[in-house]
Amino acid sequence: MDHAFSFLFLSLYFSSLLHPTVARGGEQRSKPSDYIDKVYSGSVRQLFEENQSETRLDIARGYMTNSDLEKAVKAFGRRCSNISRIYSIGKSVKGVPLWVMEISDRPGEEEAEPAFKFIGNVHGDEPVGRELLLLLANWLCDNYMRDPLATLIIENVHLHILPSMNPDGFSLRRRGNANNIDLNRDFPDQFFPLNDDVGMRQPETRAIMRWLKEIRFTASASLHGGALVANYPWDGTLDKRKDYYACPDDETFRFMASVYSRSHNNMSLSKEFPGGITNGAFWYPIYGGMQDWNYIHGGCFELTLEISDNKWPNANELPTLWEFNKMSMLNLVASLVKTGVHGKIFSSDCGRPLPASITIKGINYTVEAGSAFADYHRLLAPGEKYEVMATLPGYKSKTTCISLEEKAMTLDFVLDPEVRPKGNLLQSVCDCSCDGKSKHELVEFFGRTYLEIFLVLIVILAFLCFLLKRRVLFNHLKHRQSVGPKRSGVV
């Protein structure tokens, strides 16, 4: 009997070592409910300590229900209304709103600041993120103007927090959504057209894609469970082999992942992942992931953060998980303004902000400046030299070499408009605002004015000519009346 027990224990132990391998991946097919309850609810230790016949309600004890989460989000919005805005980006399959908390000193307003988003509960059976993100929001509210890091983030970043991307999967205690689709395999893929059918895309996926069209996010992170590592692109490979596949900003992503890992209590001490970070394809390839799509199509540097060895740990472990991950989350958001290159781009002839593009020599990736303020926020690994170039059609490109240290650098560009000869005049392509009117508008205004004056002068001249002619005719008739009619000769 003792040997049988020992064999069972060792089998479960070694299976738990393999558990992190299915954190990002796993299978999309549905599993029996008892399998979910036992395997995804926690570790081997919990399986032995707890009643093996526990119900789904027992597994969720201590976690917020979807209704509780909605109440907590709205309560936060009321309590911290001076630095927050609550809005929804859409609904789940079952109609549950996907609530977002925006945290900023000027929420809802467009500013020349970077934006960061946290997304939790991408997989329904990984609920730790939704709990930690509520704790993060309330900590920032409580410590604004009291803690330097909280104040730095609130005054210099627009932070958007989506606690649950998959509320239906959470209520069903399974990985996929209500349609049993893994949302982290539902995005358009760069290598394979598996998700190109828009009609088959899940509503939660479409909501995220619309979100990135509405807000220009600089960086992002999604919170998962089942391992302890910071994962970065690429997540897949062209040949589907498990291999390190670096994206153009590999060094920057390694730096970002290390910011999170080093700030964590024990992530960087991992024996499985050196430094607590990993390239997704090197860990194991996935396709249709949200992380790669953000970087390719959203201009957003996203990490996939595995923040808990257990997918669904006991709720009494949440305070410890919060303490282990708090500084990592804060430092990752703060890195948007504490490192990298930031600036604005203007036109040289009248100072108009230009929505130009920023490129780095040797890195095949473009960052677009904002349309309102022409601000750009280019994340880069510190300690390197870079050649930064600003370009915009109709303007002469400019390039500057910089040496980026540990702190952020401000680098503004002033671009000269290209000029083209037109007659004896030089025509500028600048459509810039000068005293409230663009040059094009001013030219049109004065052109119309001169034409109207010319036409009025012609009318006046014609009228004067008419009066003059009438006056001459009148004088001629008056003279004839005074001298009488001429008589014919009569002998």
Side-chain angles (χ1 to χ4, degrees):
M1 183 67 180
D2 293 338
H3 292 294
F5 180 81
S6 299
F7 176 76
L8 175 62
F9 179 83
L10 290 173
S11 299
L12 290 170
Y13 174 75
F14 284 114
S15 68
S16 69
L17 294 180
L18 297 176
H19 184 66
T21 306
V22 297
R24 289 185 310 135
E27 301 176 0
Q28 294 190 23
R29 64 175 181 268
S30 61
K31 299 178 178 65
S33 60
D34 60 335
Y35 179 82
I36 297 173
D37 290 347
K38 293 175 183 177
V39 177
Y40 285 141
S41 64
S43 65
V44 177
R45 173 181 57 80
Q46 292 171 312
L47 291 178
F48 280 106
E49 290 178 354
E50 296 174 2
N51 186 348
Q52 304 242 353
S53 62
E54 63 187 359
T55 64
R56 291 185 176 185
L57 181 61
D58 292 329
I59 296 174
R61 184 183 294 133
Y63 284 86
M64 290 180 288
T65 65
N66 289 331
S67 177
D68 294 335
L69 180 64
E70 181 175 7
K71 291 176 182 177
V73 167
K74 292 182 177 180
F76 167 81
R78 291 190 296 270
R79 187 172 74 89
C80 308
S81 58
N82 60 319
I83 60 162
S84 70
R85 174 176 72 105
I86 308 302
Y87 65 98
S88 172
I89 61 171
K91 293 183 179 181
S92 68
V93 173
K94 292 190 173 183
V96 179
L98 304 177
W99 293 109
V100 175
M101 298 174 286
E102 180 187 3
I103 302 175
S104 168
D105 59 337
R106 297 176 67 181
E109 298 183 32
E110 189 171 0
E111 295 185 271
E113 295 180 353
F116 187 100
K117 61 180 168 68
F118 271 122
I119 299 178
N121 202 198
V122 178
H123 292 136
D125 60 346
E126 299 169 15
V128 173
R130 55 194 269 150
E131 300 283 341
L132 266 54
L133 290 177
L134 256 297
L135 291 171
L136 174 66
N138 281 283
W139 185 90
L140 288 169
C141 178
D142 294 337
N143 289 276
Y144 179 48
M145 302 303 292
R146 296 170 55 190
D147 181 273
L149 194 54
T151 305
L152 172 74
I153 290 172
I154 292 173
E155 293 186 348
N156 297 279
V157 179
H158 277 257
L159 175 60
H160 300 253
I161 297 176
L162 172 63
S164 180
M165 178 183 170
N166 189 3
D168 296 346
F170 170 80
S171 62
L172 293 168
R173 311 289 183 263
R174 71 183 183 197
R175 182 183 184 85
N177 67 350
N179 292 329
N180 205 24
I181 299 297
D182 187 331
L183 297 179
N184 202 35
R185 308 291 186 275
D186 194 46
F187 286 82
D189 188 79
Q190 63 174 319
F191 300 117
F192 307 104
L194 68 165
N195 294 325
D196 288 354
D197 187 347
V198 178
M200 296 295 292
R201 205 163 290 154
Q202 299 302 298
E204 298 90 345
T205 308
R206 293 197 300 267
I208 297 295
M209 296 174 71
R210 286 194 304 269
W211 198 17
L212 266 76
K213 289 183 179 180
E214 296 169 358
I215 299 178
R216 186 171 55 100
F217 288 105
T218 300
S220 173
S222 62
L223 304 184
H224 295 252
L228 199 60
V229 66
N231 178 95
Y232 56 90
W234 297 123
D235 261 341
T237 60
L238 184 59
D239 56 9
K240 295 188 177 182
R241 289 192 303 175
K242 176 183 174 182
D243 197 9
Y244 196 110
Y245 204 59
C247 73
D249 277 290
D250 186 65
E251 287 298 319
T252 301
F253 273 108
R254 288 177 60 86
F255 167 73
M256 292 174 60
S258 296
V259 167
Y260 196 92
S261 178
R262 291 196 306 264
S263 303
H264 193 277
N265 279 42
N266 54 9
M267 185 179 288
S268 62
L269 304 178
S270 172
K271 294 182 180 180
E272 182 181 1
F273 306 103
I277 66 175
T278 186
N279 172 263
F282 185 69
W283 186 7
Y284 62 94
I286 70 168
Y287 301 92
M290 182 168 63
Q291 173 178 268
D292 288 6
W293 183 87
N294 267 267
Y295 179 63
I296 296 171
H297 299 284
C300 177
F301 288 56
E302 176 160 297
L303 297 177
T304 302
L305 303 174
E306 305 283 351
I307 60 172
S308 169
D309 282 318
N310 302 335
K311 284 178 173 284
W312 202 312
N314 281 341
N316 59 17
E317 298 179 31
L318 290 174
T320 301
L321 291 170
W322 161 244
E323 290 301 324
F324 277 30
N325 287 278
K326 178 177 71 174
M327 290 308 302
S328 294
M329 291 190 286
L330 293 170
N331 285 334
L332 181 60
V333 178
S335 69
L336 265 65
V337 292
K338 295 175 74 173
T339 59
V341 182
H342 309 262
K344 295 182 179 180
I345 308 168
F346 304 95
S347 174
S348 64
D349 53 358
C350 60
R352 176 199 175 207
L354 300 176
S357 301
I358 295 293
T359 55
I360 307 296
K361 184 177 181 180
I363 301 178
N364 185 24
Y365 192 78
T366 301
V367 170
E368 305 291 342
S371 57
F373 304 102
D375 60 306
Y376 73 91
H377 309 279
R378 193 20 167 128
L379 301 181
L380 291 167
E384 301 288 342
K385 292 183 179 180
Y386 297 99
E387 191 171 312
V388 187
M389 181 169 64
T391 59
L392 181 68
Y395 288 81
K396 299 176 182 178
S397 300
K398 280 193 177 179
T399 302
T400 302
C401 295
I402 64 169
S403 180
L404 186 61
E405 303 300 332
E406 294 297 324
K407 295 183 179 180
M409 173 179 288
T410 299
L411 180 62
D412 294 337
F413 285 91
V414 179
L415 302 184
D416 299 321
E418 293 178 348
V419 292
R420 295 187 296 269
K422 186 177 181 181
N424 295 326
L425 299 175
L426 290 179
Q427 182 185 26
S428 171
V429 298
C430 174
D431 183 15
C432 53
S433 298
C434 300
D435 296 329
K437 292 182 178 291
S438 68
K439 285 187 173 181
H440 183 64
E441 292 173 329
L442 290 172
V443 169
E444 285 188 344
F445 172 78
F446 286 116
R448 276 198 311 270
T449 302
Y450 292 147
L451 179 61
E452 290 169 356
I453 292 175
F454 179 72
L455 292 174
V456 169
L457 289 175
I458 290 177
V459 171
I460 294 175
L461 183 62
F463 183 70
L464 290 175
C465 290
F466 170 77
L467 292 178
L468 181 62
K469 186 176 180 180
R470 184 176 179 181
R471 182 66 179 174
V472 171
L473 181 61
F474 176 79
N475 290 337
H476 176 70
L477 292 174
K478 186 176 181 181
H479 175 72
R480 288 185 62 182
Q481 290 176 355
S482 62
V483 299
K486 289 185 178 181
R487 298 178 181 180
S488 59
V490 178
V491 178

